[in-house]
Amino acid sequence: MVGMSSEAPSHPRRRRVLKIALAAALCGGVGAATYAAVSPDGSSLIVPDHDGDDTSEQVAFSDADAGDCLNWTQDGEVTRDIVTVDCAEPHRFEVATREDLSQYPTSEFGEDAPQPDLERQQQLTEELCVSPTTEYLGGKLDPTGRYTISPILPPAEGWAEGDRTMLCGVMVTDADGTAQEVTGVAAGSDQSRFSQVDTCVRATDDTATEVPCDQPHSWQVTKVVNLGDNFTGEWPSVEDQNTWLAGICDAAAVDYFGGGDAGDEALYQSTLAPFWTTMSEDSWNAGSRTVNCSLVKGTEDNTGFAELAGDVRGDFTIDGAAPEQQPERNPVL
């Protein structure tokens, strides 16, 4: 859930903590009721390398079972070299369960049937994947977290040879739906969707996408914060989170510019404001704890973000122009 600051910091010279209310999905990822599905015939997640021997790919797919992790080489829209790996190593898919579509109570997936299209895959995900995958995760799925419930189908050659396996599991995708490499098992992990320090993020409608800082973006991340460092037990209200994060993210903003009086002055001259995300109750109950502090420039009506370009610690622009020179301030007493 995207948070908004609710209180100004106590520092008498800096009261530009931004107040912006945004859609809850902005920093979240897909919700628990939306699932990534992959279509066959060139746009499938699993596309064999037709120039080589794909037998190993079919074996890796067909032998995969609950708790296994799969990885592959992503080459544009084509995936190659599908292998089963230890989940502690980088991987793109974690298997929660396997379903045999040949046992589906219709003749829909018979010997000559084509692979299901994207719409049908999504229906199958809801029917066959959601419940067992959620159970595999211990009943805890962050609705705005980084993991997406997804199905994958056999490589085209495997399907043509009669393999009707559908693997259900979880993956982390980027804004384009491409599976990203992660490490560790999903169950019991912090499912928060957050960005690393120095990352620039562009917010468009209800989507937040990491981009190079020289491209137009909405905020730049200054700190990764674990809410568990301050809160234990039941979910802390957004008001309580805001109260604590106001001080944390205000200090992070000054430190990001070098700290001390020089960092404070650089922040002032940047005209940017601290901003942070907060955690929803559903996300907290799923075990998520991580949020971001960032720097942004609000629009004049405080309903959105100005467009930044460039690293804020160097030469950067706000809506195409350099930050306006700020008047000299009285010293702190």
Side-chain angles (χ1 to χ4, degrees), residues 39-104:
S39 59
D41 302 329
S43 59
S44 176
L45 178 67
I46 303 295
V47 180
D49 181 356
H50 296 286
D51 296 328
D53 180 7
D54 67 339
T55 302
S56 62
E57 297 187 11
Q58 294 187 45
V59 170
F61 178 90
S62 299
D63 286 352
D65 208 341
D68 289 338
C69 289
L70 298 177
N71 202 12
W72 53 83
T73 300
Q74 193 72 43
D75 182 11
E77 294 184 355
V78 175
T79 62
R80 295 184 173 88
D81 306 324
I82 304 161
V83 293
T84 302
V85 298
D86 190 298
C87 292
E89 299 178 9
H91 58 272
R92 301 180 191 270
F93 190 83
E94 182 175 343
V95 182
T97 186
R98 47 185 296 133
E99 299 290 336
D100 184 357
L101 295 181
S102 70
Q103 302 300 310
Y104 203 74

Side-chain angles (χ1 to χ4, degrees), residues 13-14 21 48 62 75 81 101 113 137 159 167 169 198 202 223 232 247 261 303 319 333:
R13 296 176 61 191
R14 190 170 55 258
S62 299
D75 182 11
D81 306 324
L101 295 181
L137 294 173
W159 183 275
L167 300 179
D198 298 335
R202 181 171 179 81
K223 191 176 182 68
T232 59
D261 290 343
T303 60
D319 288 335
L333 300 179

Side-chain angles (χ1 to χ4, degrees), residues 46-280:
I46 303 295
V47 180
D49 181 356
H50 296 286
D51 296 328
D53 180 7
D54 67 339
T55 302
S56 62
E57 297 187 11
Q58 294 187 45
V59 170
F61 178 90
S62 299
D63 286 352
D65 208 341
D68 289 338
C69 289
L70 298 177
N71 202 12
W72 53 83
T73 300
Q74 193 72 43
D75 182 11
E77 294 184 355
V78 175
T79 62
R80 295 184 173 88
D81 306 324
I82 304 161
V83 293
T84 302
V85 298
D86 190 298
C87 292
E89 299 178 9
H91 58 272
R92 301 180 191 270
F93 190 83
E94 182 175 343
V95 182
T97 186
R98 47 185 296 133
E99 299 290 336
D100 184 357
L101 295 181
S102 70
Q103 302 300 310
Y104 203 74
T106 69
S107 59
E108 180 179 359
F109 304 111
E111 181 178 347
D112 298 322
Q115 288 183 323
D117 61 18
L118 182 63
E119 181 179 0
R120 186 68 181 113
Q121 286 184 54
Q122 183 163 331
Q123 293 170 350
L124 290 169
T125 303
E126 296 177 8
E127 295 171 19
L128 302 177
C129 293
V130 174
S131 180
T133 301
T134 302
E135 183 178 354
Y136 171 81
L137 294 173
K140 295 182 177 181
L141 176 64
D142 184 342
T144 58
R146 61 183 183 142
Y147 288 109
T148 302
I149 296 178
S150 309
I152 56 176
L153 297 171
E157 283 79 359
W159 183 275
E161 293 172 3
D163 187 352
R164 293 297 182 264
T165 303
M166 183 175 78
L167 300 179
C168 298
V170 292
M171 63 173 64
V172 175
T173 61
D174 63 13
D176 296 326
T178 301
Q180 303 298 292
E181 288 188 326
V182 298
T183 57
V185 296
S189 70
D190 187 331
Q191 299 180 25
S192 309
R193 184 181 290 267
F194 64 93
S195 298
Q196 297 298 330
V197 173
D198 298 335
T199 302
C200 292
V201 179
R202 181 171 179 81
T204 305
D205 297 326
D206 61 352
T207 301
T209 306
E210 295 182 356
V211 297
C213 288
D214 60 357
Q215 295 183 11
H217 56 273
S218 306
W219 62 77
Q220 187 164 332
V221 177
T222 60
K223 191 176 182 68
V224 176
V225 182
N226 186 339
L227 292 173
D229 291 342
N230 189 66
F231 301 103
T232 59
E234 295 184 353
W235 171 70
S237 69
V238 171
E239 181 179 2
D240 287 343
Q241 292 178 56
N242 280 335
T243 298
W244 185 61
L245 288 169
I248 296 292
C249 294
D250 187 61
V254 175
D255 290 343
Y256 200 65
F257 283 104
D261 290 343
D264 179 84
E265 179 63 20
L267 173 61
Y268 172 67
Q269 292 296 336
S270 76
T271 73
L272 301 176
F275 178 75
W276 55 86
T277 54
T278 58
M279 188 72 60
S280 71

